[in-house]
Amino acid sequence: MMKLAVLLALLIPSGEDEPIRVGIVGLDTSHVVAFTQLLNDPKNPGTIPGAKVVCAYKGGSPDIESSSSRIDGFTKTLQEKWGVEIVDSIEALCAKVDAVLLESVDGRPHLAQAKPIFAAKKKVFIDKPLAGSLKDGLEIARLSKESNTPFFSASSVRFYDAITKTKDDPALGKVQACDAFSPASLEPHHPDLFWYGVHGVEALYAVMGTGCESVRCTFDKDTHIVVGRWKDGRTATYRGIRKGKADYGVTIFGEKAVRSSLSVQAKNDYRNLVVEIVKFFKTGTPPVSVEEMLEVLAFMEAADVSKSKGGAEVRLDELK
C-alpha cells in the first residue's frame, strides 16, 4: 500500500502545480486580451506559466468613449478565443478565482471596484493609473492594509528591457538626475498625467525612486514639462509629448556616466509586466513599494495643481 501511495503522489500533480486562477475586472482596454494571451495560450512557447485567466467582469465607463465602445469586442474575444467565463458582479468573480487583474481603463472606479476584492482577500494587480486621484489611491492603500491583502500597480513601461538595462548599468555610478519622456494624451475626466503621461512618470520613478519634495509644471497644448526636486537635492524632468513623434525613454545622469535608452517604444510589449504580476500573485510581494505607487500619484497631482497656478512650485506633502 505504501508503494502505491508513493507512486500516486508522483503521478498526480499537487495543488501547487495548478495554475493560479485569475479573474479580470474591466474589459475596456486592449490589455485584457494581451494579458490573457500571454497567460492562456498553450501553443505559444512564450506563454507565461503559473496563472490562467478563467473569468471576467465587464465593467466600463459610459462617459468615456474609448471605454464604452470597446467592451463588447474585448468580451467576445475573451469568450470565443480563450473560453473565459463572464460573470455579472465582482463578488461572483472573486468566488471563482485566486487573484484579480483590475484592468478598467478609467482610474475613477478603481477604488469602488477594489473594495469587494479586498473584502474577499484576493491579491490584486491594479492597472495604471492606480486611481483617479491621490485621495482614492490613499484609500486603496488603507483598505489593503486593513484587510491584509496586497496590491500592485504599475505601467508596463517601467519594466521595458531598454529602460531596466539603462538604469541598471553599473557604469553610471550613483544616479544624480533623470529626464524621462512619453506620450501624454489627455482625457477630460482625469488629471492631465493620470491618463497617459503616467507611463513616462513610472519610468522616471523606476530610475529615481521615492523622495520627491516638490514639482513645477509648464503646459501648452503640445507639451507637459514637469520638474521635480528630490529631498536629497537630486532633480528629474518629465516631458509629456502630444505633437510629433511620441515615444518612451529616459536619460540618466550618473556620478560616472550619462546613459540614455533613446526610443524604446515596443507595441504591446507587456511580457515583462505580466511576469512580475504572476510573481506577485505567487508571493504576495509587489515589485514596487506602496510608498512609490502613491508618490507617483502625488507627483502627477502636484503637476496638475502647479499648472493651475501658472507653474508655481507645489510641495507634495501639502496636497489635500
Side-chain angles (χ1 to χ4, degrees):
M1 291 293 292
M2 181 63 70
K3 289 182 180 180
L4 177 60
V6 172
L7 180 60
L8 288 173
L10 291 172
L11 292 176
I12 300 173
S14 68
E16 293 181 358
D17 295 324
E18 293 297 316
I20 295 167
R21 299 170 301 161
V22 176
I24 297 178
V25 172
L27 302 185
D28 55 356
T29 167
S30 60
H31 291 189
V32 302
V33 174
F35 288 12
T36 301
Q37 182 164 357
L38 283 167
L39 295 172
N40 287 28
D41 188 354
K43 297 179 181 178
N44 186 345
T47 295
I48 299 164
K52 182 179 181 180
V53 177
V54 297
C55 65
Y57 167 73
K58 287 185 178 182
S61 298
D63 57 349
I64 297 180
E65 192 277 335
S66 61
S67 167
S68 59
S69 66
R70 300 193 292 174
I71 296 172
D72 289 345
F74 293 142
T75 301
K76 183 177 180 181
T77 299
L78 290 188
Q79 285 180 302
E80 296 183 359
K81 187 171 183 178
W82 302 113
V84 174
E85 178 187 2
I86 305 301
V87 297
D88 59 7
S89 71
I90 296 174
E91 290 81 1
L93 178 139
C94 287
K96 295 174 177 285
V97 303
D98 307 307
V100 178
L101 295 166
L102 202 172
E103 291 298 320
S104 298
V105 72
D106 182 355
R108 294 172 299 167
H110 284 184
L111 171 58
Q113 292 172 335
K115 286 180 178 179
I117 299 170
F118 286 134
K121 296 186 180 296
K122 305 295 182 179
K123 293 186 284 290
V124 56
F125 169 75
I126 304 176
D127 216 330
K128 59 79 194 165
L130 168 60
S133 66
L134 174 61
K135 179 181 178 182
D136 280 6
L138 289 166
E139 180 64 7
I140 285 172
R142 187 192 71 78
L143 291 171
S144 168
K145 184 175 182 180
E146 180 180 79
S147 65
N148 195 30
T149 306
F151 73 97
F152 158 39
S153 181
S155 159
S156 59
V157 176
R158 174 186 284 270
F159 300 107
Y160 277 7
D161 286 337
I163 288 178
T164 57
K165 289 176 181 177
T166 302
K167 75 182 183 67
D168 294 337
D169 187 339
L172 277 168
K174 185 178 179 181
V175 172
Q176 304 296 300
C178 177
D179 293 343
F181 58 90
S182 77
S185 59
L186 306 177
E187 198 286 318
H189 300 92
H190 290 75
D192 287 351
L193 298 182
F194 279 54
W195 184 248
Y196 221 85
V198 60
H199 289 299
V201 176
E202 284 261 327
L204 184 149
Y205 265 87
V207 174
M208 294 291 291
T210 58
C212 183
E213 191 170 52
S214 65
V215 304
R216 295 179 183 270
C217 175
T218 58
F219 167 93
D220 63 34
K221 64 182 179 65
D222 299 326
T223 313
H224 260 86
I225 302 291
V226 185
V227 179
R229 180 170 296 280
W230 264 244
K231 295 174 183 177
D232 57 8
R234 297 181 301 153
T235 58
T237 301
Y238 167 71
R239 174 180 291 270
I241 306 165
R242 286 184 292 278
K243 183 179 180 180
K245 175 62 175 173
D247 210 331
Y248 307 85
V250 294
T251 297
I252 306 172
F253 303 87
E255 280 184 324
K256 300 177 181 179
V258 177
R259 293 288 184 267
S260 178
S261 68
L262 299 177
S263 295
V264 299
Q265 189 170 33
K267 186 175 178 59
N268 298 329
D269 185 9
Y270 303 121
R271 180 177 174 78
N272 290 353
L273 171 60
V274 177
V275 167
E276 294 296 333
I277 292 170
V278 173
K279 287 180 186 176
F280 163 68
F281 285 163
K282 289 181 176 180
T283 66
T285 302
V288 183
S289 70
V290 172
E291 178 187 11
E292 186 165 326
M293 290 185 253
L294 293 174
E295 191 171 308
V296 166
L297 294 183
F299 181 98
M300 296 189 296
E301 195 158 296
D304 223 43
V305 175
S306 176
K307 168 193 161 184
S308 72
K309 293 183 177 182
E313 182 178 32
V314 173
R315 291 182 56 88
L316 272 63
D317 60 10
E318 293 176 353
L319 296 174
K320 301 294 185 182

